[in-house]
């Protein structure tokens, strides 16, 4: 989930991205139709990024879960446990709008997700932060129910919708109660994979209540370099209210060259180092994600 979604120029390693089944002819080479799909997806991503960067204040950056979501769910009767570890090497150094500085902050997030059937799962997050002089602090909790179009329907693309609702302490976020709606559309085409998360955020208590719904788009493209390794590009943004974007300097923009490692179906391993592109974005962050799927 840069949510978080899964923040900057990163190398990430992840075990599970959903795939659409293909016929025997669509192996590692791309046919003409696949090229057209990829070309349209690339053009869409380029137009989206151009609009965002050309648009005319964003909430504090939440570097607790940095991930572009895939549409796949945890298998029914199974539980995924993940640890999201992020360290801000170069971030904010003063208190801004009552939020503590992020510079040299260590964030540890525990995510537990259980699959109930082929169209529903539910996740739970525990956010923590550690800084010099404060030690470990509890930041907040979120719950995330998610529904998906079952694979047996054989849609041309994969689709799921995540709803994340929760609380963060005021010293770590200008908004204490928030709701995130994250549509997830993705597809595997030969060696190529793409995912788009046109995320919408809403604050119910805090400084951003007056902004209404905020647009926070994420997307990812990757290419299988081998059966175990894929390299690609991830983007994370927060551009302001859908009724009128913030000035560019107050938006968040992060681009992540990504590497996905498929070690084994039950494991998820993710790490990276990234750079943000605006003053509202932490400049340099290191992250790691460790996850394991249990058979219960």
């Amino acid at each position: 989930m840069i949510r978080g979604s899964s923040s900057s120029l990163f190398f990430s390693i992840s075990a599970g991205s959903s795939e659409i089944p293909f016929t025997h002819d669509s192996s590692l080479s791309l046919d003409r139709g696949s090229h057209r799909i990829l070309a349209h997806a690339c053009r869409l991503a380029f137009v989206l990024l151009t609009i965002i960067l050309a648009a005319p204040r964003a909430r504090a950056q939440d570097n607790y879960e940095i991930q572009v979501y895939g549409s796949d769910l945890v298998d029914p009767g199974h539980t995924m446990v993940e640890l999201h570890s992020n360290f801000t090497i170069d971030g904010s150094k003063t208190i801004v709008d009552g939020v503590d500085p992020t510079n040299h902050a260590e964030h540890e997030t525990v995510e537990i997700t259980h699959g109930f059937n082929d169209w529903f799962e539910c996740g739970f997050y525990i956010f923590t932060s550690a800084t010099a002089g404060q030690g470990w602090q509890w930041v907040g909790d979120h719950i995330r129910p998610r529904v998906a179009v079952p694979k047996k329907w054989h849609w041309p693309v994969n689709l799921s919708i995540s709803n994340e609702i929760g609380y963060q302490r005021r010293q770590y976020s200008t908004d204490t109660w928030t709701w995130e709606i994250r549509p997830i559309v993705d597809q595997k085409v030969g060696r190529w994979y793409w995912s788009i998360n046109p995320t919408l955020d809403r604050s119910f208590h805090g400084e951003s209540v007056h902004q209404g719904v905020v647009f926070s788009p994420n997307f990812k493209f990757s290419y299988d370099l081998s059966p175990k390794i894929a390299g690609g590009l991830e983007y994370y943004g927060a551009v302001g209210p859908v009724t009128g974007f913030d000035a560019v300097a107050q938006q968040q923009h992060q681009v992540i060259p990504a590497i996905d490692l498929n070690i084994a179906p039950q494991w998820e391993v993710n790490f990276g180092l990234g750079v943000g592109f605006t003053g509202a974005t932490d400049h340099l962050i290191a992250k790691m994600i460790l996850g394991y799927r249990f058979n219960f």
Side-chain angles (χ1 to χ4, degrees):
M1 166 199 232
I2 201 150
R3 222 152 271 218
S5 53
S6 184
S7 305
S8 359
L9 187 57
F10 280 92
F11 291 90
S12 72
I13 294 184
S14 177
S17 62
S18 65
E19 299 186 1
I20 283 184
F22 286 87
T23 62
H24 177 72
D25 291 336
S26 64
S27 56
L28 294 181
S29 60
L30 296 179
D31 57 22
R32 188 173 303 172
S34 299
H35 277 294
R36 286 198 297 268
I37 293 173
L38 289 173
H40 287 313
C42 289
R43 281 195 289 269
L44 175 62
F46 176 78
V47 170
L48 177 63
L49 186 57
T50 300
I51 292 172
I52 290 169
L53 293 176
R57 195 176 56 189
R59 296 181 301 168
Q61 185 176 9
D62 295 326
N63 294 320
Y64 294 95
E65 183 201 14
I66 303 170
Q67 184 178 15
V68 176
Y69 282 31
S71 65
D72 57 316
L73 305 183
V74 174
D75 291 338
H78 291 67
T79 301
M80 166 70 92
V81 178
E82 296 169 278
L83 178 65
H84 299 259
S85 302
N86 305 317
F87 180 74
T88 305
I89 300 171
D90 186 5
S92 63
K93 299 174 176 63
T94 60
I95 296 176
V96 179
D97 293 333
V99 175
D100 287 351
T102 60
N103 195 55
H104 293 177
E106 171 73 21
H107 293 166
E108 299 289 344
T109 297
V110 176
E111 176 185 358
I112 303 171
T113 305
H114 183 75
F116 290 89
N117 51 46
D118 64 352
W119 58 268
F120 177 72
E121 70 174 21
C122 191
F124 181 75
Y125 298 88
I126 304 170
F127 303 128
T128 70
S129 178
T131 56
Q134 292 190 8
W136 286 106
Q137 298 288 327
W138 170 72
V139 174
D141 298 314
H142 283 188
I143 190 168
R144 178 188 54 75
R146 177 152 61 133
V147 296
V149 173
K151 294 183 184 298
K152 63 186 178 184
W153 290 11
H154 301 298
W155 279 29
V157 296
N158 299 314
L159 174 65
S160 64
I161 300 179
S162 168
N163 283 269
E164 186 172 327
I165 303 170
Y167 169 82
Q168 307 84 233
R169 293 170 61 193
R170 179 61 179 84
Q171 71 185 86
Y172 297 102
S173 175
T174 57
D175 300 291
T176 53
W177 286 96
T178 57
W179 177 20
E180 173 193 280
I181 303 175
R182 181 186 296 256
I184 305 155
V185 184
D186 70 352
Q187 186 182 45
K188 187 72 183 292
V189 184
R191 289 191 177 193
W192 289 93
Y193 171 79
W194 61 266
S195 178
I196 298 177
N197 301 173
T199 307
L200 301 173
D201 299 302
R202 181 72 165 91
S203 170
F204 290 99
H205 189 273
E207 300 298 320
S208 300
V209 171
H210 70 282
Q211 291 187 321
V213 178
V214 173
F215 185 44
S216 304
N218 307 158
F219 61 77
K220 171 179 180 175
F221 295 92
S222 66
Y223 179 79
D224 290 339
L225 302 172
S226 77
K228 296 291 185 181
I229 301 173
L233 184 71
E234 298 177 359
Y235 164 80
Y236 301 91
V239 301
V242 295
T243 54
F245 292 161
D246 295 327
V248 173
Q250 295 172 317
Q251 298 175 10
Q252 296 176 23
H253 296 287
Q254 306 141 351
V255 174
I256 303 177
I259 294 178
D260 296 318
L261 180 62
N262 186 16
I263 297 175
Q266 69 271 28
W267 279 101
E268 181 176 20
V269 182
N270 174 293
F271 64 87
L273 180 66
V275 176
F277 295 100
T278 66
T281 312
D282 286 335
H283 179 64
L284 189 63
I285 299 175
K287 73 159 185 173
M288 173 173 282
I289 299 174
L290 296 175
Y292 188 84
R293 294 173 175 84
F294 292 91
N295 296 324
F296 59 79

